Amino acid sequence: MVLSKALCFRIKDATMKAIYVQNNQLLAGRVQAGKLIEGEEISVVPNRSLDAKRSPIILGIEEGSQCLSVGMAQQPILQIEHKNIMDLYRSKEESKSFTFYMYNTGLTSRLESAIYPGWFLCSIHEENQPIILTNHPDDSESVIADFYFRQCD
């Protein structure tokens, strides 16, 4: 099956904080400025150049005009880049820096960086804080690495 457009999801962490974008940064929260946060529409496509059995996906925001990627500073960091999600989808290149392996953990999923194995997307317990990467996804005292995906209406 070839997609003509990206699938659309709203994502919440396991504590039901919605994922949203503010100032070119991905955050997780419930309420901001007294209003309930509905969450960002996240575009999702498979990465067709990697092993489909590992469920490689690319995540986009702003209707897929920007995509999440993982770069390196002192440790892997989450970034938002001006790359069109459908261009990455159609490309024959691996695009590993834009790819996350999706692991189902029951009702939730975990997202592991394809370019930095062992590093997972996560939120922290405090409200309206950035989504980051962790290499300790099971440390539930400090991070939340499980996410709910709900298809957009």
Side-chain angles (χ1 to χ4, degrees), residues 57-147:
I57 61 170
I58 299 169
L59 302 168
I61 59 169
E62 303 291 330
E63 297 181 353
S65 65
Q66 299 178 66
C67 290
L68 302 186
S69 72
V70 179
M72 180 57 93
Q74 294 171 341
Q75 65 183 39
I77 59 166
L78 188 64
Q79 306 171 134
I80 297 174
E81 292 191 39
H82 288 279
K83 281 275 195 185
N84 185 286
I85 196 168
M86 293 309 290
D87 291 345
L88 291 170
Y89 172 71
R90 292 182 194 105
S91 174
K92 300 281 187 231
E93 293 178 33
E94 284 188 335
S95 304
K96 276 190 169 181
S97 64
F98 293 96
T99 303
F100 297 88
Y101 292 117
M102 185 176 197
Y103 300 103
N104 289 326
T105 54
L107 295 176
T108 59
S109 298
R110 284 192 175 175
L111 297 167
E112 180 184 25
S113 168
I115 198 161
Y116 295 108
W119 288 85
F120 292 80
L121 280 186
C122 69
S123 62
I124 60 173
H125 290 280
E126 289 80 25
E127 291 281 324
N128 304 311
Q129 295 300 308
I131 298 294
I132 57 173
L133 292 159
T134 182
N135 59 352
H136 300 289
D138 294 317
D139 181 5
S140 60
E141 295 290 315
S142 57
V143 299
I144 303 156
D146 295 315
F147 295 92

Side-chain angles (χ1 to χ4, degrees), residues 8-33:
C8 178
F9 291 90
R10 292 192 192 276
I11 302 173
K12 291 186 177 185
D13 72 12
T15 67
M16 302 309 288
K17 291 194 306 287
I19 306 306
Y20 67 99
V21 176
Q22 184 177 49
N23 299 327
N24 209 36
Q25 197 170 30
L26 213 56
L27 305 170
R30 291 181 193 88
V31 177
Q32 184 184 41

